Amino acid sequence: MALGRHDSVVNVPRQYMNNEFDVIGDQQCRLGEGLCISSDGDYLAWVDIEESTLYVFDRLRRTFATLKLPVIPSKVLTVFRCSLNLLTDRGVLAVSLPGLEQKWLHCWGDLFSSAGLRTNDAVQRKDSLIFGVMAKAQMDGKGAIYELRNGSLNFIDDCEIPNTFIELPDGVLITDSSQKKIYKYSIDLESKALWLNGEKDSFIPDGGVLLTSGNILIAAWGTSRLVELTVEGQKVVDYPLPMKFPTSCVQFENRLYISSAAEIGDDSFYAGKTISIELSL
């Protein structure tokens, strides 16, 4: 399946090289999330949480692999040439490429699902995995942050809708989307401070990425944009998008990749699609 191209429906600012958004395939995700790209840029992967489906795009061959899962996936943690690691409600799953064979790297069974929870966003650090869980039925008031280290799960903090999970040299950014607030946790995760209050800019932070420039880029749920911020949390610029509900983003060289959700209130062609655009670096 080849990359498609569709006319832009937004005014594209100077941080984009042109006004062409490339649509990656024809999949429309109910809740596209968890984008990850391999270090060599060969593979791009993401999930549809609501449909329990993994998508893997081979950028060189322009082909897709699709895997329907018996668990709820939420975040592609890492992508290598021969495999990827996937966070799910029942544990961390290794999936081979291109064959899509699966095996558990760490399985916690129904620990979360039996409590009405599923995993959400995460960040894979060198020595541990930090991830969030949230209620399957949103706004139930549940949710938390955990760290998986040396095979043990450790509770870190309460967080109703945990998102963003960006590792910085001196800490980790984690959002509670229900509060529209981003917190900066210390490296040891034992303390936190408010990093950004999205209420001031009608900003519901979702997934994000540390850009090669050193700034932060975060998907602004429900507002058709990405928001670029300095590492101190100062707003730099908005990146307008053709879909209303962007969910996650990654950068490879001078291209930006964005996933999205097909929610009520967005009947555009781009709703639920994964797109890319060339950046002006």
Side-chain angles (χ1 to χ4, degrees), residues 86-275:
L86 182 64
L87 178 66
T88 79
D89 63 329
R90 298 183 69 85
V92 179
L93 193 64
V95 180
S96 69
L97 298 175
L100 303 183
E101 291 88 2
Q102 305 138 53
K103 68 175 182 179
W104 289 110
L105 296 179
H106 186 89
C107 182
W108 48 71
D110 64 356
L111 174 66
F112 298 120
S113 59
S114 62
L117 301 171
R118 66 163 175 83
T119 54
N120 203 43
D121 207 350
V123 62
Q124 179 69 65
R125 299 204 292 187
K126 183 178 180 180
D127 56 355
S128 70
L129 170 66
I130 308 167
F131 68 95
V133 298
M134 60 176 284
K136 293 179 183 179
Q138 289 189 22
M139 310 313 291
D140 273 4
K142 302 176 183 178
I145 300 165
Y146 286 85
E147 183 181 31
L148 176 61
R149 179 185 289 270
N150 297 326
S152 297
L153 277 176
N154 304 301
F155 171 83
I156 301 300
D157 199 4
D158 292 314
C159 186
E160 188 170 337
I161 304 179
N163 262 314
T164 308
F165 288 82
I166 297 174
E167 184 178 15
L168 301 176
D170 60 347
V172 181
L173 298 180
I174 301 177
T175 291
D176 189 334
S177 294
S178 68
Q179 299 179 7
K180 302 181 183 178
K181 293 178 180 178
I182 304 175
Y183 296 93
K184 185 175 182 179
Y185 285 75
S186 59
I187 291 176
D188 60 10
L189 304 176
E190 293 188 358
S191 63
K192 68 178 181 181
L194 181 64
W195 187 79
L196 182 77
N197 186 351
E199 288 280 6
K200 298 177 181 178
D201 193 27
S202 300
F203 176 28
I204 303 177
D206 204 314
V209 65
L210 178 63
L211 297 170
T212 54
S213 67
N215 284 346
I216 309 295
L217 195 63
I218 295 178
W221 174 265
T223 62
S224 303
R225 62 186 169 134
L226 305 173
V227 179
E228 183 177 350
L229 304 146
T230 68
V231 291
E232 292 79 27
Q234 300 300 310
K235 183 175 176 179
V236 177
V237 69
D238 285 339
Y239 290 63
L241 294 173
M243 69 275 278
K244 187 173 182 180
F245 298 98
T247 55
S248 68
C249 51
V250 294
Q251 180 187 5
F252 181 74
E253 296 179 345
N254 66 334
R255 292 206 72 87
L256 190 65
Y257 297 85
I258 305 113
S259 63
S260 67
E263 289 279 321
I264 295 173
D266 186 359
D267 57 1
S268 73
F269 167 83
Y270 294 96
K273 300 292 180 66
T274 294
I275 65 171

